[in-house]
Amino acid sequence: MEKKDTVFIFAGYTEEMKNFISMNPGIQSRVSTYLEFKDYSIQELMNIFQSKIENSKLKITEEALYQVKQIIEKVAHSDKKFGNARFVMQLFNKILMYHSLNIADEKDEEVIYTITGNDITEQLYQELNINNKQKAIGFKGGNL
């Protein structure tokens, strides 16, 4: 870490990184700059999700969008290490998988390109492996 033309970057969650740096005085004395990035807000995470929908040339119903927001809010408030935008990407990919299964025999293009509440199920939520100890609440008839 003494070379002037080399940069070392340590990245991780704030508390874990503080513990990592403090464990070794040699590292502690060599790390001179700290950058902390704040988590995205719920609205910013929703914007990320909606941009993924738009970039994929898909549509989403208001009901489904509401369900996505419920999941994001629930996870953001219950798991401080939920991964932020990474979680939104996992959620998006899971929804795409469920949507693909739901429209497998569909011919109507409007249906094919529209994410609905039926694509966002309790099973999808459970498969995201979020807080396995915590029970999912707010689900009705298989949907959020």
Side-chain angles (χ1 to χ4, degrees), residues 3-82:
K3 295 183 179 187
K4 293 183 184 207
D5 60 347
T6 304
V7 174
F8 292 88
I9 298 174
F10 303 103
Y13 294 107
T14 302
E15 287 306 310
E16 288 78 356
M17 291 309 299
K18 285 179 184 176
N19 291 338
F20 169 72
I21 297 295
S22 69
M23 286 173 52
N24 185 325
I27 293 176
Q28 198 172 16
S29 67
R30 289 176 175 88
V31 175
S32 61
T33 305
Y34 296 86
L35 299 174
E36 186 173 346
F37 297 96
K38 299 293 181 195
D39 288 341
Y40 289 113
S41 69
I42 300 297
Q43 188 55 54
E44 288 169 325
L45 293 171
M46 289 299 296
N47 292 345
I48 291 168
F49 182 85
Q50 287 178 290
S51 73
K52 292 298 296 174
I53 292 287
E54 291 167 11
N55 291 339
S56 299
K57 308 289 190 241
L58 296 169
K59 297 176 190 173
I60 186 166
T61 65
E62 288 299 317
E63 174 195 14
L65 204 52
Y66 175 76
Q67 290 171 288
V68 167
K69 187 174 183 180
Q70 278 188 312
I71 291 173
I72 291 172
E73 286 175 342
K74 180 175 176 54
V75 174
H77 296 309
S78 66
D79 184 356
K80 72 175 189 163
K81 297 178 189 175
F82 78 103

Side-chain angles (χ1 to χ4, degrees), residues 81-103:
K81 297 178 189 175
F82 78 103
N84 227 306
R86 182 176 51 243
F87 169 77
V88 170
M89 294 301 300
Q90 292 169 343
L91 177 60
F92 175 77
N93 289 332
K94 230 8 137 177
I95 290 170
L96 281 185
M97 183 188 77
Y98 274 82
H99 178 67
S100 297
L101 293 171
N102 289 339
I103 59 148

